Amino acid sequence: MNLTYYSFPPFQIKPGCVTVMDTGSPKFYQDVVVGLKNQDDTIHLSDDNFTTIPLKTGAQWYGDPLLTVDLNHLFQHKLQLQLKKVLADEQVVSLSDELRQLLVRILEGSYLMNVPLELPTSPDLTRLIKFSGIQLAPAVQQDPYGIIETLIRVQIELDNQRMIVLTNVSHYLSVNQLQSLARLVATTELPILLIEFSSSRRNEVFQECDYHYIDSDFVLW
């Protein structure tokens, strides 16, 4: 995938790689952010043949991992639906039978009420999973690396191949954690883009990433 920002040559965003666009220019940072959030026409995506890719199908903006990434808000419902899909047929039958038994016991208690009540003909497993409140472990939300790792694993589970876009990751992760992140991404086919702000080049921080630095004078290093 190519990311184009006028007047720079296209930045290649490779699957299985962490690409970093680090800058000391507030204008560049703002233009890239609003462009990737699809709030302005400052960024264009294309495939390897330079055929345009709509931003909404090529990239997913998540932003600051600690401030704007609420994993359960983003994925709880989707993961609940996915859980039903991955259950084996015999598991679905067993759970449906157990649900019906539970409903029968509840109905037995309703006989004390002077109201005609009955069971649904087919217990709804989807509603049961939703009612269970099953969710991603809350402890993950307190750990920036855990948030990013879980975000990647959820994207894989949901078969979402859009480019993950994060910002300010270097505020939270150590050099070792950034290297671990690069190695994790290398085991996937996901493209990851980090947007960072720094007054100086930081090649040593992003050693295992595809690193680009744009200084305050709009010079690409």
Side-chain angles (χ1 to χ4, degrees):
M1 179 188 296
N2 301 296
L3 183 153
T4 302
Y5 172 82
Y6 184 83
S7 58
F8 291 100
F11 296 89
Q12 186 179 21
I13 313 295
K14 295 173 285 190
C17 178
V18 176
T19 301
V20 182
M21 297 175 70
D22 197 11
T23 185
S25 166
K27 176 171 174 50
F28 180 88
Y29 186 90
Q30 178 177 332
D31 284 352
V32 172
V33 167
V34 297
L36 287 167
K37 293 177 72 175
N38 209 13
Q39 295 176 340
D40 203 349
D41 192 28
T42 55
I43 293 294
H44 297 90
L45 301 180
S46 60
D47 62 19
D48 292 340
N49 296 316
F50 291 97
T51 301
T52 298
I53 299 174
L55 195 65
K56 64 180 180 181
T57 61
Q60 178 63 59
W61 171 268
Y62 289 105
D64 188 299
L66 204 58
L67 299 180
T68 60
V69 180
D70 184 333
L71 292 171
N72 279 312
H73 176 74
L74 291 168
F75 300 117
Q76 184 178 17
H77 180 62
K78 293 178 181 178
L79 288 173
Q80 288 173 350
L81 293 177
Q82 183 70 5
L83 176 59
K84 183 180 178 181
K85 292 179 182 179
V86 301
L87 289 172
D89 290 343
E90 59 270 19
Q91 290 176 298
V92 173
V93 171
S94 175
L95 286 170
S96 296
D97 288 343
E98 291 172 7
L99 174 57
R100 174 165 286 280
Q101 292 172 18
L102 174 62
L103 293 175
V104 167
R105 293 181 63 185
I106 293 174
L107 187 60
E108 289 173 352
S110 73
Y111 294 153
L112 299 176
M113 301 169 58
N114 189 24
V115 179
L117 299 174
E118 65 178 17
L119 289 172
T121 56
S122 177
D124 191 332
L125 186 56
T126 300
R127 291 184 179 180
L128 175 63
I129 294 174
K130 181 178 179 180
F131 177 75
S132 72
I134 193 166
Q135 62 179 356
L136 291 160
V140 172
Q141 289 286 143
Q142 309 302 319
D143 173 28
Y145 184 87
I147 291 172
I148 299 170
E149 180 182 9
T150 304
L151 176 61
I152 292 169
R153 297 191 185 283
V154 169
Q155 295 286 78
I156 294 170
E157 182 62 43
L158 297 178
D159 195 26
N160 188 340
Q161 298 299 315
R162 286 185 294 176
M163 175 175 65
I164 295 174
V165 185
L166 295 163
T167 189
N168 304 329
V169 170
S170 64
H171 292 188
Y172 306 112
L173 303 192
S174 67
V175 172
N176 287 338
Q177 287 177 315
L178 285 166
Q179 292 175 348
S180 295
L181 176 63
R183 290 191 287 269
L184 170 63
V185 173
T187 66
T188 77
E189 290 297 315
L190 286 174
I192 312 291
L193 177 61
L194 308 184
I195 310 299
E196 301 287 333
F197 190 90
S198 173
S199 59
S200 59
R201 292 174 66 186
R202 299 183 290 172
N203 300 68
E204 71 286 352
V205 174
F206 301 99
Q207 296 174 26
E208 298 188 29
C209 304
D210 186 13
Y211 180 73
H212 308 275
Y213 184 72
I214 299 89
D215 67 20
S216 57
D217 296 320
F218 263 56
V219 176
L220 173 63
W221 295 83

